Amino acid sequence: MFYHSSKLQYEVRVEKPNPLFAKMLQQAIGGVEGEIRVAMQYFFQAMGARGPVKYRDLLIATATEELSHIEFLGHAVALNLEKAPTSMQEEAAKDPVVNAILGGMNPRHILSSGLSAMPVNSNGVPFDMSHIYATGNIGADMLANATAEAGGRVLAERLYNMTDDPGMKDMLSFLIARDTMHQQQWLAVIEELGGLEAALPIPNSVPESHEATKHSYVFLNTSLDKPAPEGRWTSGPSLDGKAKFSQA
Amino acid sequence: MFYHSSKLQYEVRVEKPNPLFAKMLQQAIGGVEGEIRVAMQYFFQAMGARGPVKYRDLLIATATEELSHIEFLGHAVALNLEKAPTSMQEEAAKDPVVNAILGGMNPRHILSSGLSAMPVNSNGVPFDMSHIYATGNIGADMLANATAEAGGRVLAERLYNMTDDPGMKDMLSFLIARDTMHQQQWLAVIEELGGLEAALPIPNSVPESHEATKHSYVFLNTSLDKPAPEGRWTSGPSLDGKAKFSQA
Amino acid sequence: MFYHSSKLQYEVRVEKPNPLFAKMLQQAIGGVEGEIRVAMQYFFQAMGARGPVKYRDLLIATATEELSHIEFLGHAVALNLEKAPTSMQEEAAKDPVVNAILGGMNPRHILSSGLSAMPVNSNGVPFDMSHIYATGNIGADMLANATAEAGGRVLAERLYNMTDDPGMKDMLSFLIARDTMHQQQWLAVIEELGGLEAALPIPNSVPESHEATKHSYVFLNTSLDKPAPEGRWTSGPSLDGKAKFSQA
Amino acid sequence: MFYHSSKLQYEVRVEKPNPLFAKMLQQAIGGVEGEIRVAMQYFFQAMGARGPVKYRDLLIATATEELSHIEFLGHAVALNLEKAPTSMQEEAAKDPVVNAILGGMNPRHILSSGLSAMPVNSNGVPFDMSHIYATGNIGADMLANATAEAGGRVLAERLYNMTDDPGMKDMLSFLIARDTMHQQQWLAVIEELGGLEAALPIPNSVPESHEATKHSYVFLNTSLDKPAPEGRWTSGPSLDGKAKFSQA
Amino acid sequence: MFYHSSKLQYEVRVEKPNPLFAKMLQQAIGGVEGEIRVAMQYFFQAMGARGPVKYRDLLIATATEELSHIEFLGHAVALNLEKAPTSMQEEAAKDPVVNAILGGMNPRHILSSGLSAMPVNSNGVPFDMSHIYATGNIGADMLANATAEAGGRVLAERLYNMTDDPGMKDMLSFLIARDTMHQQQWLAVIEELGGLEAALPIPNSVPESHEATKHSYVFLNTSLDKPAPEGRWTSGPSLDGKAKFSQA
Amino acid sequence: MFYHSSKLQYEVRVEKPNPLFAKMLQQAIGGVEGEIRVAMQYFFQAMGARGPVKYRDLLIATATEELSHIEFLGHAVALNLEKAPTSMQEEAAKDPVVNAILGGMNPRHILSSGLSAMPVNSNGVPFDMSHIYATGNIGADMLANATAEAGGRVLAERLYNMTDDPGMKDMLSFLIARDTMHQQQWLAVIEELGGLEAALPIPNSVPESHEATKHSYVFLNTSLDKPAPEGRWTSGPSLDGKAKFSQA
Ligand SMILES: [Ca+2]
Ligand SMILES: [Ca+2]
Ligand SMILES: [Ca+2]
Ligand SMILES: [Ca+2]
Ligand SMILES: [Ca+2]
Ligand SMILES: [Ca+2]
């Protein structure tokens, strides 16, 4: 069961409200790299977790934290929309800056939400729940989670570079830090279960008779005019320690 | 900020697991009448609430409760999927009951989620966040919330009639009760603000000069072969007390 | 069966075509607050109406009117797109105003529709029919309809404030007026059926044995650090007249 | 402006209600081959039509007819849902036929719509308006319309073969006939404008300097192991009469 | 089976990178008029082709070419994004041109893709595969393909007019040419099979007993105030040569 | 540029066609775990790859292989649909097996595709391209790819268990093997670049000044009633070797 405290997990301040940055911040709320996605992904994984209870606890604890990230980002969007122009009447006809803002901001921040955050990305496309990856296989799910946090941290850094508002930079530095931790905690689960060598191939419970193993460690080059790109994947031991890589 | 307790808001039991009912319960999680929708709708309305703080508190308190509804419904789905057939091999060829279950259940409950709940409706269509209605106008939002709870209670009653599992009926009787309360609390906000007469038309802040009022209280009949359907909307005082209904 | 007359329901004029306003007007056509939504919602409700024929007549009459709203809004979009720039060649390189228009308008108004209206919202996201709410329960459906019209009128007023074109203001004043009437007519159905007290809880046909009534009138506070927000929903008679509100 | 008459365009009867056929009929309402699509496609094309007024009239006249097709198909779905099982309680446990129906029908016909039609396809996926093709180019649009009617007639014939209900066969024979006419009327517009030879390539207004014409009539074979498939497209005069086909 | 060569089908150059044109070019990749659509449509039609093998070969050959179109368009988008501003810090505050670019470009080209192409349209809406039309009926499919290429060529010409970059004009002149050929090759299949007269009505295999033929060649006027628009579709022989057009 | 050979990458045979298994196989084509997803994801990553050319070559080579997986899976679906019932007429009324098949199979395999594969998942939901993850950061992208292949292999194993058709088991054993290789090749890229320790946190180019590092290695417990779940993520060195894990 969930509870709420009136304190934000991270206090947000905005010195120079910027409706264009509000539009961009939406990517961190309703984008595939955003907080709704991770909150719901960890929540559904937790509900489906059937193994040791500590992994379920880990998932639900972090799902809960991500809900709090949605919350302070929502405040950040609203603060960036303060004083946004809501009219193209006098001023816009004259002022190219206002014109550019009205053209560049998300019109639904004016028309639909009344200057508040929405569960959409920076193009205004609503988040859809097909992005909640939860297979019931812990290896697959932990990789999916690390992926989500990698995408999230890439995004947070790009948003950091986009703004020069000190309040926004401060908030983003917190999100960057939490994404660091979250990446690591999901990969730490894999390490605790024996590391990648033991986890691979995912799922590691497939009977050998189900797999045409002669195709399992062979890089297939489909290029007509270039040799196979050589690397760690074309020779040497496979990452699961069961075979040697080759190429065809 | 959100917190979590390991106790479910409502303890769920299932006596006769039924994968077909699991599919149907998904409507209450990921359908437009479901719990993800209300949780997120109240959450985004709370983030955008700019009026008296008590309405923001009311919204976030109930958003938090709805997250707990998702949680126990997720358990209910998983319990209904226990012992679901995961193979069409021997048994299905022979047993028409297994056959019918495999045809009738959501195949992604086997293939994608590993016998767990998903953020989809009873057709397997993922929930999408365009259904989060949050305008920033309290009258519009309270009506939207009462509507969501009305749809939710209609659904819960239909699910109640669908099953004869005592555990499921018990759980649904709780959801029906909470939907009763939630319908009323949102309409109570309107009542507290002066009732429908004061709230209408929504938004009640439109200057009279913005409205072609001669068209505001006239029922328009577009039928070629029937007279206007007569009722409360064709004569008598308008619901906002400002005019009399008429018809054209 | 439907018929068409070549006269628009409301004559539309635009004095200063504005491609950016064309983009914004799309919200009133293909947004969740828009006319496609209400036209189709009332149409599908009418097809499913099984009670007194006058409600079916009311629904189909208004569905038909909403089709006419789509039609004149479509003309308004096209008129606002007249003389829109269709090239970034010479002029745009030089003129910041043209540049801002090209950046701010919906590029698909040039690329995809040839300067005409599209069934999309102001972000260019196509309308999807999951927003057609039609449950077969008249109380739920009338609330959904009043909600849709509330959202529509909020939007129309915001669009009114956005423009200073007299023709557009005139057209929007008509839409604001019709939304006033439509809000009231749907709520008038509830009043005619006995008012909210009789309608609640929706659906009002749930047998008492299906509901865990001890939870039906209790406000649940999930806040860890704030008392329950007090209001009409925490004490006094419930809106259905069956109990008293309390809090837990 | 639109009007409505209470008479259905085609009277619908169902002798043996069949919830599974109700699910399938939904494809003809909310599928990409369905009636919502053509109604809205012709409507938006009409609103964007800038050429001779008769084509606009043709478009809006047929858009209006298609609305009437939605209407009687909606009745057909509701009639097929009469007496559908709404419970898995006693009977379903015992009766494999009821079981199969409950597994095979669309659960949202019970749970969401109360035994009425919905704007979804036979998989329960809501129609989305990205399928409204309206480019503003009459050649492209007429081809799109003929395509839509071709898909519609293929579907209607498959539905005809699926059922042995005389009422349903009768209704479908009408839809098949109207699709015949609609295919022809859109192609007749092209013929009236000079036929395919004059229309091609669409758009036929591209200045020759915009086209790398040496690539315009050459079939490009990308197969590594098969010669180009020979046919009308590899030799002989091009369909626009401007060149000869060749292959590379 | 597919193979790849490292040479682009068409070499792309961009003289003046333009992030706004990058956004517009996305329509040609991920729009309904774009290359993903035709590649996948021809691919799925080929997989379902059951008639003479040459049509399957034709489909798969062109599907393969369209994959190469996606590829060079992807390069064109990336080249247009070179030197795009990735910050609103110093410069944007001062420079209205940078401001307009940042407001007008797709923010996800910075935030999500790292200045690369995405499978989205010019509004940032991801392509969805419901647009892959493949009925298994060759007449319907060939019309659908000609329609797709007509839409594609309309788009390519509009993009051509939008830019003055010689490299982009050059690339688009190639796409315009290929669309010319593709339109013709699909219609040539119909001609080879006997032409439209033999193909119509599609599907041409419907038994006469399935069709209410008295409605098959009659234009239905649903206008209340205008006579039927007269043209090739109201009199004279039907396009399938089986009857005469009339009107009702 | 792409080319095609008429040989399937893997020859497919089906001994006992099964329309229900055809529906399930669709998950491997058009599901988020399916082949369209990986083909397009690697393709778009390749187009955006700006680092050493060998990674671009690796990506495009495997994208091309995945296109071939779509192709033979498409054949597998068609083969499973051979002899599927296309009528509910005589037989279905009598035969419960046919009845169950008609209820359980995807109706659009009959109605829309003419017994062929479609770009949809096992619920009939079309694939949408928002699932193409391509950030331009190689660490994030390689994790996303390993995740996709993990999900794919989980799915293939579940499909393997679902069927007892030897031909289908044989085909799936090939897919399982290729997913093994693909998982490893993407993780091998990370290993080649220094392994997870060097790669983390992703992106590993964030300046330290952008990160609130005191929050970067701390597990945050949001549970009200349980201690933090202890594991590799609560103590010991962080996976990037830069700090020690702790908890708050
Ligand atoms: Ca986060
Ligand atoms: Ca609830
Ligand atoms: Ca309206
Ligand atoms: Ca029709
Ligand atoms: Ca092309
Ligand atoms: Ca694969």
Side-chain angles (χ1 to χ4, degrees):
Chain A
M1 187 181 177
F2 292 87
Y3 292 91
H4 187 261
S5 141
S6 63
K7 213 170 142 293
L8 289 179
Q9 190 196 6
Y10 201 80
E11 278 307 320
V12 172
R13 69 197 154 84
V14 171
E15 300 196 0
K16 295 175 287 185
N18 183 341
L20 198 48
F21 195 62
K23 177 176 80 171
M24 292 187 179
L25 273 177
Q26 286 285 163
Q27 193 68 28
I29 294 177
V32 297
E33 315 93 333
E35 304 292 346
I36 296 175
R37 192 260 177 91
V38 285
M40 286 292 147
Q41 184 159 303
Y42 306 158
F43 188 10
F44 275 85
Q45 286 181 11
M47 289 192 285
R50 283 185 169 83
V53 74
K54 72 173 171 177
Y55 300 127
R56 174 187 286 252
D57 289 350
L58 182 62
L59 284 161
I60 199 71
T62 306
T64 307
E65 181 183 356
E66 305 294 12
L67 290 168
S68 302
H69 293 189
I70 301 173
E71 191 181 28
F72 68 71
L73 277 164
H75 283 255
V77 168
L79 290 170
N80 272 291
L81 289 168
E82 271 182 19
K83 300 177 194 165
T86 55
S87 168
M88 299 188 297
Q89 301 193 17
E90 314 84 82
E91 66 263 67
K94 296 174 202 150
D95 186 341
V97 173
V98 174
N99 242 331
I101 292 171
L102 276 165
M105 70 181 290
N106 183 337
R108 295 192 69 207
H109 275 154
I110 304 171
L111 300 176
S112 295
S113 78
L115 304 178
S116 301
M118 302 177 74
V120 304
N121 74 5
S122 60
N123 288 137
V125 178
F127 183 69
D128 95 282
M129 289 284 180
S130 64
H131 288 271
I132 304 314
Y133 293 173
T135 64
N137 176 281
I138 195 165
D141 286 358
M142 291 305 115
L143 273 190
N145 296 354
T147 298
E149 297 287 347
R153 198 167 176 274
V154 167
L155 172 65
E157 167 70 356
R158 287 172 179 166
L159 287 166
Y160 189 101
N161 289 325
M162 190 63 75
T163 183
D164 61 354
D165 187 284
M168 285 296 92
K169 282 189 178 296
D170 183 60
M171 177 191 76
L172 288 161
S173 75
F174 178 71
L175 282 173
I176 288 170
R178 296 311 296 154
D179 286 354
T180 295
M181 179 59 195
H182 291 163
Q183 283 176 27
Q184 303 214 9
Q185 74 185 45
W186 306 126
L187 293 170
V189 170
I190 290 177
E191 196 163 304
E192 191 174 281
L193 292 170
L196 274 181
E197 184 165 333
L200 293 179
I202 295 173
N204 58 12
S205 57
V206 175
E208 206 179 296
S209 63
H210 292 194
E211 183 161 2
T213 47
K214 72 180 162 180
H215 301 290
S216 298
Y217 302 96
V218 186
F219 176 73
L220 187 66
N221 191 19
T222 55
S223 176
L224 292 168
D225 62 354
K226 296 190 74 168
E230 304 219 339
R232 180 65 187 83
W233 53 87
T234 43
S235 61
S238 65
L239 300 191
D240 59 10
K242 293 187 183 168
K244 283 194 182 333
F245 286 125
S246 64
Q247 48 175 292
Chain B
M1 186 181 177
F2 292 88
Y3 292 90
H4 187 261
S5 140
S6 62
K7 212 170 142 293
L8 290 179
Q9 189 195 9
Y10 201 79
E11 279 307 319
V12 173
R13 70 195 152 85
V14 172
E15 299 195 1
K16 293 175 287 183
N18 183 340
L20 198 49
F21 195 62
K23 178 176 79 174
M24 293 186 178
L25 273 177
Q26 288 284 163
Q27 193 68 29
I29 295 176
V32 297
E33 314 94 334
E35 304 293 344
I36 296 176
R37 194 260 176 91
V38 284
M40 287 290 147
Q41 184 158 304
Y42 306 156
F43 187 11
F44 275 84
Q45 285 181 11
M47 289 190 287
R50 284 188 168 80
V53 74
K54 72 173 169 175
Y55 300 127
R56 174 188 285 254
D57 290 350
L58 182 63
L59 284 161
I60 198 73
T62 306
T64 307
E65 181 184 356
E66 303 295 14
L67 290 168
S68 303
H69 292 189
I70 300 173
E71 190 181 27
F72 68 72
L73 277 164
H75 282 257
V77 168
L79 291 170
N80 271 291
L81 288 168
E82 271 183 18
K83 300 180 195 161
T86 56
S87 169
M88 299 189 295
Q89 301 193 16
E90 313 86 77
E91 67 263 70
K94 294 174 203 150
D95 185 342
V97 172
V98 175
N99 241 330
I101 292 171
L102 277 164
M105 70 182 289
N106 183 337
R108 294 192 69 205
H109 274 154
I110 303 172
L111 299 176
S112 294
S113 79
L115 305 178
S116 302
M118 303 176 73
V120 304
N121 74 4
S122 60
N123 288 136
V125 177
F127 183 70
D128 95 281
M129 290 284 183
S130 63
H131 289 270
I132 304 314
Y133 292 172
T135 64
N137 176 281
I138 195 165
D141 287 357
M142 291 304 116
L143 272 190
N145 297 353
T147 297
E149 297 287 347
R153 199 167 174 274
V154 167
L155 172 64
E157 167 70 356
R158 286 172 179 167
L159 287 166
Y160 189 101
N161 289 325
M162 190 62 76
T163 182
D164 60 354
D165 187 286
M168 287 296 90
K169 282 189 178 296
D170 184 60
M171 178 191 77
L172 289 161
S173 75
F174 178 72
L175 282 171
I176 288 170
R178 296 310 296 155
D179 286 354
T180 295
M181 179 61 195
H182 292 162
Q183 283 176 26
Q184 304 215 8
Q185 75 184 44
W186 308 126
L187 293 169
V189 170
I190 291 177
E191 197 163 302
E192 191 173 281
L193 294 168
L196 275 180
E197 184 164 335
L200 292 179
I202 295 172
N204 58 12
S205 57
V206 176
E208 206 178 296
S209 63
H210 293 193
E211 183 161 1
T213 47
K214 72 180 161 178
H215 302 289
S216 297
Y217 302 95
V218 186
F219 176 74
L220 186 66
N221 191 19
T222 55
S223 177
L224 292 168
D225 62 354
K226 297 190 78 170
E230 305 221 337
R232 180 66 187 82
W233 53 88
T234 42
S235 61
S238 66
L239 300 192
D240 58 9
K242 295 185 183 167
K244 282 194 182 333
F245 287 124
S246 64
Q247 47 175 294
Chain C
M1 186 181 177
F2 292 88
Y3 292 91
H4 187 261
S5 140
S6 62
K7 212 170 141 295
L8 289 179
Q9 190 196 7
Y10 201 80
E11 278 309 318
V12 172
R13 70 196 153 86
V14 172
E15 300 196 0
K16 295 175 285 184
N18 182 341
L20 198 48
F21 195 62
K23 178 176 79 171
M24 293 186 179
L25 272 177
Q26 286 285 163
Q27 193 68 29
I29 294 176
V32 298
E33 314 94 333
E35 303 292 346
I36 296 176
R37 192 258 177 92
V38 284
M40 287 291 148
Q41 184 159 303
Y42 307 158
F43 188 10
F44 275 84
Q45 285 182 12
M47 289 191 286
R50 283 186 170 81
V53 74
K54 72 173 169 175
Y55 301 128
R56 173 188 287 253
D57 290 350
L58 183 63
L59 284 161
I60 198 72
T62 307
T64 306
E65 181 184 356
E66 304 294 13
L67 290 168
S68 303
H69 293 189
I70 301 173
E71 190 181 27
F72 68 71
L73 277 164
H75 282 256
V77 168
L79 290 170
N80 272 290
L81 289 169
E82 270 182 20
K83 299 179 195 163
T86 56
S87 168
M88 299 189 297
Q89 300 193 17
E90 314 84 80
E91 68 263 69
K94 294 173 201 149
D95 185 342
V97 172
V98 175
N99 241 331
I101 291 171
L102 277 165
M105 70 182 290
N106 183 337
R108 295 192 68 206
H109 274 154
I110 304 170
L111 299 177
S112 295
S113 78
L115 304 177
S116 301
M118 303 175 74
V120 304
N121 73 5
S122 61
N123 289 138
V125 177
F127 182 69
D128 96 279
M129 289 284 181
S130 63
H131 289 271
I132 304 316
Y133 293 173
T135 65
N137 176 282
I138 195 165
D141 286 358
M142 291 305 114
L143 273 190
N145 296 354
T147 298
E149 297 287 347
R153 198 168 176 272
V154 168
L155 172 65
E157 166 71 356
R158 288 172 178 166
L159 286 166
Y160 189 101
N161 289 325
M162 189 64 74
T163 182
D164 59 356
D165 186 284
M168 286 295 92
K169 282 189 179 295
D170 183 60
M171 177 192 76
L172 288 160
S173 76
F174 178 71
L175 282 172
I176 288 169
R178 295 311 295 155
D179 287 352
T180 295
M181 178 60 194
H182 291 164
Q183 285 176 26
Q184 304 214 9
Q185 74 184 45
W186 306 125
L187 293 169
V189 170
I190 291 177
E191 197 162 303
E192 191 173 280
L193 294 169
L196 274 180
E197 184 165 333
L200 293 180
I202 294 172
N204 58 11
S205 57
V206 177
E208 206 179 295
S209 64
H210 292 194
E211 182 161 4
T213 47
K214 71 179 164 180
H215 301 290
S216 297
Y217 302 96
V218 186
F219 177 73
L220 186 66
N221 191 19
T222 56
S223 176
L224 293 168
D225 63 353
K226 298 190 77 169
E230 304 218 342
R232 180 65 186 84
W233 53 87
T234 43
S235 60
S238 64
L239 300 191
D240 59 10
K242 293 187 184 167
K244 283 193 184 326
F245 286 125
S246 64
Q247 48 174 292
Chain D
M1 187 181 176
F2 292 88
Y3 292 90
H4 187 261
S5 141
S6 62
K7 212 171 141 296
L8 289 180
Q9 189 195 9
Y10 202 80
E11 278 308 319
V12 172
R13 70 195 151 86
V14 172
E15 300 195 0
K16 295 174 287 183
N18 182 341
L20 198 49
F21 195 62
K23 178 175 79 174
M24 292 186 179
L25 272 178
Q26 287 284 162
Q27 193 68 29
I29 295 176
V32 297
E33 315 93 333
E35 304 292 346
I36 296 175
R37 192 261 177 90
V38 284
M40 287 291 148
Q41 184 158 302
Y42 306 157
F43 188 10
F44 275 84
Q45 286 181 11
M47 289 191 286
R50 283 187 169 80
V53 75
K54 72 173 169 175
Y55 301 128
R56 173 188 285 253
D57 290 349
L58 182 62
L59 284 160
I60 198 70
T62 307
T64 307
E65 181 184 356
E66 305 294 14
L67 290 168
S68 303
H69 292 190
I70 301 173
E71 190 181 29
F72 67 73
L73 277 163
H75 282 256
V77 167
L79 290 171
N80 272 289
L81 288 168
E82 271 182 18
K83 301 180 195 164
T86 56
S87 168
M88 299 189 296
Q89 300 193 16
E90 312 87 80
E91 68 263 67
K94 294 174 204 153
D95 185 341
V97 172
V98 175
N99 242 330
I101 292 171
L102 278 164
M105 70 182 289
N106 183 337
R108 294 193 69 206
H109 274 156
I110 305 171
L111 299 176
S112 295
S113 78
L115 304 178
S116 302
M118 304 175 72
V120 304
N121 74 5
S122 61
N123 289 137
V125 177
F127 183 70
D128 95 280
M129 290 284 182
S130 63
H131 289 271
I132 304 315
Y133 293 173
T135 64
N137 176 281
I138 195 166
D141 286 357
M142 291 305 116
L143 273 190
N145 296 353
T147 297
E149 297 287 348
R153 199 167 175 274
V154 168
L155 172 64
E157 166 71 355
R158 287 172 179 167
L159 287 167
Y160 189 100
N161 289 324
M162 190 63 75
T163 182
D164 60 354
D165 186 284
M168 287 295 91
K169 282 189 179 296
D170 183 60
M171 177 191 78
L172 288 161
S173 75
F174 178 72
L175 282 172
I176 288 169
R178 297 310 296 156
D179 287 354
T180 294
M181 178 60 195
H182 292 163
Q183 284 176 26
Q184 304 214 8
Q185 75 184 44
W186 307 125
L187 293 170
V189 171
I190 291 178
E191 197 163 303
E192 190 173 282
L193 294 169
L196 275 180
E197 184 164 336
L200 293 180
I202 295 172
N204 58 13
S205 57
V206 176
E208 205 178 297
S209 64
H210 292 195
E211 182 161 3
T213 47
K214 72 179 160 178
H215 301 289
S216 297
Y217 302 96
V218 187
F219 177 74
L220 186 66
N221 191 19
T222 56
S223 177
L224 293 168
D225 61 353
K226 297 189 78 169
E230 305 220 339
R232 179 68 186 80
W233 53 87
T234 42
S235 60
S238 65
L239 300 192
D240 58 10
K242 294 185 184 169
K244 282 193 180 338
F245 287 125
S246 63
Q247 48 174 294
Chain E
M1 186 183 177
F2 292 88
Y3 292 91
H4 187 261
S5 140
S6 61
K7 212 170 142 295
L8 289 180
Q9 190 196 7
Y10 201 81
E11 278 309 319
V12 172
R13 71 197 153 84
V14 172
E15 300 195 1
K16 295 174 286 184
N18 182 341
L20 198 48
F21 195 62
K23 178 176 80 171
M24 292 186 179
L25 273 177
Q26 287 285 163
Q27 193 68 29
I29 294 176
V32 297
E33 314 94 333
E35 303 291 347
I36 296 176
R37 192 260 177 91
V38 284
M40 287 290 148
Q41 184 159 302
Y42 306 158
F43 188 10
F44 275 84
Q45 285 182 10
M47 289 191 286
R50 283 186 170 81
V53 74
K54 71 174 171 175
Y55 300 127
R56 173 188 286 254
D57 290 350
L58 182 62
L59 285 161
I60 198 72
T62 307
T64 307
E65 181 183 357
E66 304 294 12
L67 290 168
S68 303
H69 293 189
I70 301 172
E71 190 180 26
F72 68 71
L73 277 164
H75 283 257
V77 168
L79 290 170
N80 272 290
L81 289 169
E82 271 182 20
K83 300 178 194 164
T86 57
S87 168
M88 299 189 296
Q89 301 193 16
E90 312 86 79
E91 68 263 66
K94 296 173 202 149
D95 185 341
V97 173
V98 175
N99 241 331
I101 292 172
L102 277 164
M105 69 182 291
N106 183 337
R108 293 192 70 207
H109 275 155
I110 305 171
L111 299 176
S112 295
S113 78
L115 304 177
S116 301
M118 303 176 74
V120 304
N121 73 5
S122 61
N123 288 137
V125 178
F127 183 70
D128 94 281
M129 289 284 180
S130 63
H131 289 271
I132 304 314
Y133 292 172
T135 64
N137 176 282
I138 195 165
D141 287 357
M142 291 306 113
L143 273 190
N145 296 353
T147 298
E149 297 287 346
R153 198 166 175 275
V154 167
L155 172 64
E157 168 70 356
R158 287 172 179 167
L159 286 166
Y160 190 102
N161 289 325
M162 190 62 74
T163 182
D164 60 355
D165 187 284
M168 286 294 92
K169 281 188 178 297
D170 183 60
M171 177 191 77
L172 288 160
S173 75
F174 178 72
L175 282 172
I176 288 169
R178 296 310 295 155
D179 287 352
T180 295
M181 178 60 195
H182 291 163
Q183 283 176 27
Q184 304 213 9
Q185 74 185 44
W186 306 125
L187 293 169
V189 170
I190 290 177
E191 196 162 304
E192 190 173 282
L193 294 170
L196 274 181
E197 184 165 332
L200 293 179
I202 294 172
N204 58 12
S205 58
V206 176
E208 207 177 295
S209 64
H210 292 194
E211 183 161 3
T213 47
K214 72 179 161 178
H215 301 290
S216 298
Y217 303 97
V218 186
F219 176 74
L220 186 66
N221 191 20
T222 56
S223 177
L224 292 168
D225 62 353
K226 297 189 78 168
E230 304 220 340
R232 179 65 187 83
W233 53 87
T234 42
S235 61
S238 66
L239 300 191
D240 58 9
K242 294 185 184 169
K244 283 195 180 336
F245 286 125
S246 64
Q247 48 175 292
Chain F
M1 187 182 177
F2 292 88
Y3 292 91
H4 187 261
S5 141
S6 62
K7 213 170 140 295
L8 289 180
Q9 189 195 8
Y10 202 79
E11 278 309 319
V12 173
R13 72 196 151 82
V14 172
E15 300 195 0
K16 295 175 287 185
N18 182 341
L20 198 48
F21 195 63
K23 178 176 79 173
M24 293 186 179
L25 272 177
Q26 287 284 163
Q27 193 68 29
I29 294 176
V32 297
E33 315 93 332
E35 304 292 345
I36 295 176
R37 192 263 176 90
V38 284
M40 287 292 148
Q41 184 159 302
Y42 307 158
F43 188 11
F44 275 84
Q45 286 181 10
M47 288 191 287
R50 284 188 168 80
V53 75
K54 72 173 170 175
Y55 300 127
R56 173 188 285 254
D57 290 350
L58 182 63
L59 284 161
I60 198 71
T62 306
T64 307
E65 181 184 356
E66 305 293 14
L67 290 169
S68 302
H69 292 190
I70 301 173
E71 190 181 27
F72 67 72
L73 277 164
H75 283 256
V77 167
L79 290 170
N80 272 291
L81 288 168
E82 273 182 18
K83 301 179 195 165
T86 55
S87 168
M88 299 189 296
Q89 301 194 14
E90 315 85 79
E91 68 263 66
K94 297 173 201 151
D95 186 342
V97 173
V98 175
N99 241 331
I101 291 171
L102 278 164
M105 71 181 289
N106 183 336
R108 295 192 69 206
H109 274 155
I110 304 171
L111 299 176
S112 295
S113 78
L115 304 177
S116 302
M118 303 176 73
V120 304
N121 73 6
S122 60
N123 289 136
V125 178
F127 183 70
D128 95 279
M129 290 285 182
S130 63
H131 289 271
I132 304 314
Y133 292 172
T135 63
N137 176 281
I138 194 165
D141 286 357
M142 291 304 115
L143 273 190
N145 296 353
T147 297
E149 297 287 348
R153 199 167 175 274
V154 167
L155 173 64
E157 167 69 356
R158 287 173 179 166
L159 287 166
Y160 189 101
N161 289 324
M162 190 62 77
T163 183
D164 60 354
D165 186 285
M168 286 295 91
K169 282 189 177 298
D170 183 61
M171 177 192 78
L172 289 161
S173 76
F174 178 72
L175 282 172
I176 288 170
R178 296 312 296 155
D179 286 354
T180 294
M181 179 60 195
H182 291 162
Q183 283 176 26
Q184 303 215 9
Q185 75 185 44
W186 307 126
L187 293 170
V189 171
I190 291 178
E191 197 163 303
E192 191 174 282
L193 294 169
L196 276 180
E197 185 164 334
L200 293 179
I202 295 172
N204 58 12
S205 58
V206 175
E208 206 178 296
S209 63
H210 292 194
E211 183 161 1
T213 47
K214 72 178 162 179
H215 301 290
S216 297
Y217 302 97
V218 187
F219 176 74
L220 186 66
N221 191 19
T222 55
S223 176
L224 293 168
D225 62 353
K226 297 190 76 169
E230 304 220 339
R232 179 65 187 82
W233 53 87
T234 43
S235 61
S238 65
L239 299 192
D240 59 9
K242 293 185 183 167
K244 282 194 181 337
F245 286 125
S246 63
Q247 48 174 293

